Amino acid sequence: MKLLVFAHTPPPHHGQSYMVQLMLEGFGGDARQHAGNPPPAHGIECYHVNARFSRGLEDIGEFQGAKLFLIFFYCLQAVWLRLRHGVKVFYYVPAPGRRVALYRDWLVMLLCRPFFKTVILHWHAAGLAKWLETSTTIASRAATYRLFRPVDLSVVLSRYNVADAEKTVVPPHLRGQQRHSRSLPKF
């Protein structure tokens, strides 16, 4: 399986960026750096778009004009990798409940999602579902639901993230149902 990882690695160093770095290392790194080698043992070839929007921890979640340019630049990289290498699975880490980060997620989903057959969301930062319900408009909530649904797989490693995955990407008639799987579905 070819997996496009649209997420950043350190710096800045924090839990999410470090998790992405460890995951990439576990799957053998970016496949473009190992051209000609046999596929990794897990059968997952990662193609990494290092979508670093912040230079330091103080920049995270803050609006800066250059970030808008970076969104389009990183999305163009993702689409190029899709077309050039035949990557069909899009792996993305959604933002927590912050307006600027949510708008970034909207643009990424709007620009990249149509090119990928399969979407995987990894819920690392908690709080988006509660923030959508309590601190934003109905229009923002509806746009988020529309752009994030449906997904093929939501990765939730903590009970604190379950509500984000359920409210944001799981249709209401399926909420509360849990699927447990030890391996990724065949794509």
Side-chain angles (χ1 to χ4, degrees):
M1 173 177 72
K2 293 182 179 183
L3 177 73
L4 185 120
V5 179
F6 194 102
H8 80 280
T9 55
H13 193 91
H14 54 81
Q16 178 180 313
S17 65
Y18 185 58
M19 174 274 311
V20 171
Q21 178 182 335
L22 290 176
M23 182 189 74
L24 285 168
E25 290 171 0
F27 287 136
D30 192 326
R32 294 172 293 173
Q33 297 173 358
H34 307 293
N37 291 345
H42 300 292
I44 299 175
E45 289 180 48
C46 291
Y47 292 82
H48 182 219
V49 173
N50 195 6
R52 183 177 298 136
F53 294 100
S54 302
R55 291 182 213 162
L57 292 175
E58 63 280 350
D59 295 338
I60 295 174
E62 298 297 321
F63 177 77
Q64 295 172 352
K67 289 184 179 184
L68 190 58
F69 168 77
L70 288 173
I71 290 171
F72 289 103
F73 176 71
Y74 294 140
C75 288
L76 184 62
Q77 281 185 35
V79 172
W80 169 249
L81 289 170
R82 162 67 181 104
L83 299 173
R84 170 72 173 88
H85 296 284
V87 183
K88 295 180 182 173
V89 182
F90 187 78
Y91 170 95
Y92 189 74
V93 182
R98 292 185 173 168
R99 192 170 312 282
V100 171
L102 181 64
Y103 296 160
R104 178 202 65 218
D105 286 356
W106 288 356
L107 282 171
V108 170
M109 289 292 127
L110 187 67
L111 296 171
C112 293
R113 192 170 183 153
F115 292 93
F116 293 88
K117 178 181 177 187
T118 304
V119 175
I120 298 172
L121 297 181
H122 183 158
W123 297 92
H124 185 79
L128 179 61
K130 183 169 178 110
W131 182 80
L132 284 170
E133 295 295 326
T134 62
S135 302
T136 191
T137 65
I138 292 172
S140 292
R141 192 175 6 211
T144 303
Y145 294 159
R146 178 167 298 217
L147 291 168
F148 277 41
R149 285 184 185 158
V151 297
D152 299 283
L153 182 67
S154 278
V155 178
V156 178
L157 301 178
S158 167
R159 64 185 166 103
Y160 299 107
N161 301 96
V162 171
D164 296 323
E166 284 185 339
K167 280 211 169 198
T168 308
V169 300
V170 178
H173 67 282
L174 294 179
R175 288 189 188 148
Q177 298 179 17
Q178 294 181 335
R179 293 185 329 174
H180 297 283
S181 175
R182 292 181 184 236
S183 62
L184 289 173
K186 301 291 181 197
F187 297 111

